[in-house]
Each structure stands twice: as C-alpha cells, then as structure tokens.
Amino acid sequence: FPALATALHDNRRLWTIFATEVADAENPLPRDLKARLFYLAEFTREHTGKVLAREASVAPLLEVNAAVLRGLRGGET
C-alpha cells in the first residue's frame, strides 16, 4: 500500500498542475477541452482520496490516465 499511496500522490500532483494550467486565462487550449481537463483533475482529486481511504478502486484513475495518454498519442493503442 505505501507504494500505491506514493503513486497516487504523484498522480494527484500531476493533475493539480494540469488544473492550474487549464485555469490560466492565457492558456490557448479550446475552452471545452480546458473544462474537460479541469473536470478530470477534480475527479482525480476526489477519487484519489477515496482510494487512499480504501473506499474505492484505483481502476477509474488508471482508465482516466490511459485515455489521456491515448489522446496525446493521437488515439493509438
């Protein structure tokens, strides 16, 4: 569990950075994409707390990260 907690902490920190960046008015991404990324950051923050409290599975967080990576790769599997 300690290794999982460390990974969850690092992941939450990364998503906090994403949220900060998309909240910046000068960020050139389309408004809709920024809103979606911000939502995912909020989901990640909340769900990470549940995983750390052993109230939820880590699977949704893995799915979110995998989907974002696929998108960054242009939809490649």
Side-chain angles (χ1 to χ4, degrees):
F1 192 80
L4 175 61
T6 298
L8 289 168
H9 174 72
D10 291 344
N11 189 59
R12 187 165 38 188
R13 285 180 51 210
L14 177 64
W15 278 100
T16 299
I17 292 167
F18 289 162
T20 302
E21 291 295 319
V22 299
D24 185 344
E26 294 186 27
N27 186 303
L29 291 174
R31 176 179 270 172
D32 183 56
L33 179 57
K34 291 194 297 185
R36 290 174 191 222
L37 288 170
F38 193 85
Y39 168 79
L40 289 174
E42 285 297 302
F43 171 81
T44 298
R45 183 186 59 77
E46 289 181 29
H47 196 79
T48 297
K50 293 177 184 176
V51 175
L52 289 170
R54 299 180 183 196
E55 297 171 353
S57 167
V58 73
L61 298 174
L62 298 173
E63 292 171 16
V64 166
N65 286 358
V68 170
L69 287 174
R70 278 192 304 276
L72 291 171
R73 291 185 186 128
E76 298 175 17
T77 55

